[in-house]
Amino acid sequence: PFFLYIPMTHVHVPLYFAKQETGNHFIDTVIEMDQYVGKLINFLKQNQIEKNTIVIFTSDNGPCEFKCDLAGNLKSYLGEWQKTKGEGGSSSKMTTWEGGHRVPFVVSWPEVIPKGQVSGDLVSAYDILPTLAQISNFSLPNDRVFDGIPLPFVVPHDDTRTLFHPDVGLLELWSVRYGKYKIYCATNPKND
């Protein structure tokens, strides 16, 4: 077994990339990141370990509204869309609206997860450590509390999970998510 963690900062400001292909810095960084992920997957395939290797691709937060010209855009999360769909107000990084917290979370494990499977389960990056511990039959230390739980493809759970969205720096509770429900204590505490 092996563990490889690759923290790609490609889509985080400031943007760095080796080759300009489109003239749009953000798109060029996404293209380069995609190529790196492709090389990793190809390496796993060439060494015949892809089927029994877990690859997790995720992000830490949504786009940054005041730097959208450099770091993606809010598009469907911006005001009107959310109002007409009943999903809340404008959102970005540093808010508790969905665009601030809902991020890609893609898991590939060909021997276990069927290709094309989509899950609506509420998960968190906190779940990665307990998931990997469960899969590798490793016991986490019991002298502390871990916020995550094994991901549903390892240990199925119901949709009534509770997730807390605190501001770690201020140690304040911003929102709570319970299944499909969410309560907002603050939407953007710097302005609320």
Side-chain angles (χ1 to χ4, degrees), residues 9-73:
T9 59
H10 281 69
V11 295
H12 201 284
V13 176
L15 301 175
Y16 296 105
F17 52 91
K19 182 180 174 189
Q20 189 165 356
E21 296 190 27
T22 68
N24 179 304
H25 291 181
F26 182 73
I27 293 173
D28 287 337
T29 59
V30 172
I31 288 171
E32 185 171 280
M33 184 173 59
D34 181 64
Q35 291 167 348
Y36 287 148
V37 171
K39 286 179 183 179
L40 173 64
I41 300 300
N42 284 336
F43 175 85
L44 297 173
K45 286 178 181 178
Q46 289 168 0
N47 288 279
Q48 299 178 353
I49 56 176
E50 177 217 9
K51 291 184 188 226
N52 194 28
T53 299
I54 301 166
V55 176
I56 300 172
F57 184 87
T58 190
S59 179
D60 60 347
N61 50 250
C64 184
E65 187 169 19
F66 57 90
K67 293 184 178 179
C68 273
D69 58 327
L70 298 173
N73 60 58

Side-chain angles (χ1 to χ4, degrees), residues 20 37 40 81 89 103 111 137 154 159:
Q20 189 165 356
V37 171
L40 173 64
W81 182 87
V103 296
E111 280 190 359
N137 204 22
V154 177
D159 66 352

Side-chain angles (χ1 to χ4, degrees), residues 98-119:
E98 292 300 280
H101 289 276
R102 189 176 294 264
V103 296
F105 198 96
V106 180
V107 181
S108 172
W109 190 9
E111 280 190 359
V112 175
I113 303 171
K115 186 176 183 176
Q117 180 175 329
V118 176
S119 170

Side-chain angles (χ1 to χ4, degrees), residues 95-163:
T95 72
T96 55
W97 297 113
E98 292 300 280
H101 289 276
R102 189 176 294 264
V103 296
F105 198 96
V106 180
V107 181
S108 172
W109 190 9
E111 280 190 359
V112 175
I113 303 171
K115 186 176 183 176
Q117 180 175 329
V118 176
S119 170
D121 288 309
L122 186 60
V123 300
S124 168
Y126 291 128
D127 299 334
I128 295 172
L129 178 61
T131 299
L132 297 178
Q134 179 92 19
I135 290 167
S136 61
N137 204 22
F138 177 80
S139 297
L140 294 172
N142 59 10
D143 63 343
R144 67 201 76 182
V145 176
F146 292 91
D147 291 327
I149 60 175
L151 289 167
F153 64 84
V154 177
V155 177
H157 49 76
D158 62 27
D159 66 352
T160 56
R161 179 174 189 191
T162 302
L163 283 179

